[in-house]
Amino acid sequence: MIQTKRAAIQALRVMIACTVTYSITQFLNLQQGYWAVFTVLIVMQTSVGATAGMAVDRLVATIAGAVLGGAAVLLTPHEPLAIGIALIFVVGIASFASMRAPRLRNAGLTAAIVMLTHSQAVPVEVFMIDRIAEITLGGVVGVLASLFILPTRSRTVVLDRFASALDVTAQILRTLAAAVEKGEAVSATEANIGLRQSLMAAEGLLADAQRERALWLARQGISDAIPRSLWRIRNDMTYVSHLVETPFPAEVVNAIGPQAAQVLRSQAGFAEACGKAMRSGGEIDSELLTEADSSLAAAFEVFQHSEAAQSISFSDTGRLFGLDFTLGRMRQNFLDLADRIREGQGN
């Protein structure tokens, strides 16, 4: 239902934007006004930031391509062979430039259009200006449609993706908690890989939110510190998963299994609280982590001085200390994440 609603809203935006653009081109009697409509179809994305980014990139590429193609028209004799040779060189230059600056990826297309469709009856500089004006019109209408017709902010989309990643994190932590408490083997490799892909996808959208803020289309941005904290949490959780793939000895499970499981469950609840704060705001209670951490610290202290601790292998001892250290570090990373979320809410 949510996906259907989003698709319907996007269709409505595109239809209105195309209608407005076509009407303006007819009113102004633009000879090649269809390029403005094409631009609307190209730049319209599901969020304001993504649409603005596409519009700016297309305008920059159009200006670069129009200048390059216009210069080639002025310098090239009006003969098929000469135009063909010039076209090859122009496309090569534009392709090289687009590899160095991805926003210029459409410059070669614009240059080729200018060279192949320009009429000698129209001064080349007028043809170039018309082309730029049409692309600008389409881009402006597209951005305005995204901004005023049931807008979806890039910041909202990115925060929702990060919150979804935290929900997945909570599920993995509860799975690990059950394994630690029962002394069972568990593998969370596939889940961790999926979480990694989710975070990478969310980071890819972060640029749209930052561009939305830079273009004054949104009042709030997203701190780079949030994805960094999420990556640290994910890496710590991956290490915990590695540590518990092999069950701990019964002595360890009986002594600290329930307390370690409670720490993992409290961190799962904290992850969900952070996700909720990202989506809808609200306070994050850091005390959710305190009681469970205190219980684990006390149980670990008792176990260290017990006879059972002397009976486990050196390898299991190393894994146990690694688990205790990583859980503490993950707790600090969760607290850092909560601070970054609060800062974003304050800004």
Side-chain angles (χ1 to χ4, degrees), residues 54-336:
M54 285 288 291
V56 171
D57 288 352
R58 180 158 174 77
L59 178 59
V60 171
T62 297
I63 293 174
V67 171
L68 185 60
V73 170
L74 290 173
L75 298 175
T76 304
H78 297 290
E79 298 176 0
L81 179 60
I83 293 175
I85 294 174
L87 178 65
I88 293 173
F89 279 101
V90 165
V91 171
I93 293 171
S95 297
F96 177 82
S98 67
M99 292 298 295
R100 302 292 298 175
R103 61 165 38 184
L104 297 177
R105 57 184 176 273
N106 290 320
L109 174 62
T110 300
I113 290 172
V114 170
M115 294 183 66
L116 296 176
T117 64
H118 170 252
S119 172
Q120 296 186 27
V122 180
V124 66
E125 60 272 15
V126 174
F127 188 84
M128 292 166 50
I129 293 173
D130 286 347
R131 176 94 171 108
I132 294 171
E134 291 150 5
I135 297 301
T136 302
L137 172 61
V140 169
V141 173
V143 172
L144 292 177
S146 294
L147 188 61
F148 293 108
I149 303 174
L150 301 175
T152 299
R153 302 288 182 178
S154 295
R155 181 178 186 274
T156 302
V157 174
V158 174
L159 289 179
D160 183 68
R161 292 291 187 92
F162 284 151
S164 297
L166 283 168
D167 291 340
V168 175
T169 298
Q171 295 174 7
I172 298 174
L173 288 171
R174 290 194 173 97
T175 300
L176 297 176
V180 170
E181 188 172 35
K182 298 176 182 178
E184 298 175 347
V186 65
S187 176
T189 302
E190 291 186 5
N192 281 316
I193 292 175
L195 179 59
R196 177 177 179 271
Q197 293 172 341
S198 178
L199 287 175
M200 290 177 65
E203 277 195 311
L205 298 174
L206 184 60
D208 292 332
Q210 293 171 334
R211 181 173 289 181
E212 187 178 275
R213 178 74 172 88
L215 294 174
W216 299 92
L217 298 175
R219 295 182 178 180
Q220 293 176 301
I222 299 178
S223 170
D224 290 335
I226 288 180
R228 287 199 297 267
S229 296
L230 288 171
W231 276 112
R232 288 197 295 268
I233 291 169
R234 185 262 174 189
N235 292 337
D236 286 340
M237 190 170 61
T238 301
Y239 186 59
V240 171
S241 302
H242 174 70
L243 291 173
V244 302
E245 280 181 344
T246 302
F248 281 100
E251 297 87 346
V252 175
V253 174
N254 293 333
I256 68 168
Q259 292 82 359
Q262 185 56 36
V263 168
L264 288 166
R265 292 192 180 100
S266 68
Q267 292 181 348
F270 195 80
E272 291 174 335
C274 289
K276 182 179 179 181
M278 283 185 177
R279 286 191 175 103
S280 56
E283 293 293 327
I284 305 172
D285 185 8
S286 298
E287 295 300 320
L288 290 171
L289 303 176
T290 303
E291 183 178 351
D293 287 334
S294 299
S295 298
L296 177 60
F300 192 79
E301 180 69 20
V302 171
F303 179 74
Q304 280 184 283
H305 299 89
S306 67
E307 293 183 3
Q310 308 301 319
S311 64
I312 64 175
S313 68
F314 180 78
S315 174
D316 288 331
T317 300
R319 287 199 297 135
L320 179 58
F321 275 91
L323 177 63
D324 180 65
F325 174 79
T326 306
L327 289 178
R329 184 173 61 188
M330 190 154 56
R331 175 186 187 274
Q332 187 57 52
N333 287 330
F334 269 119
L335 293 175
D336 289 343

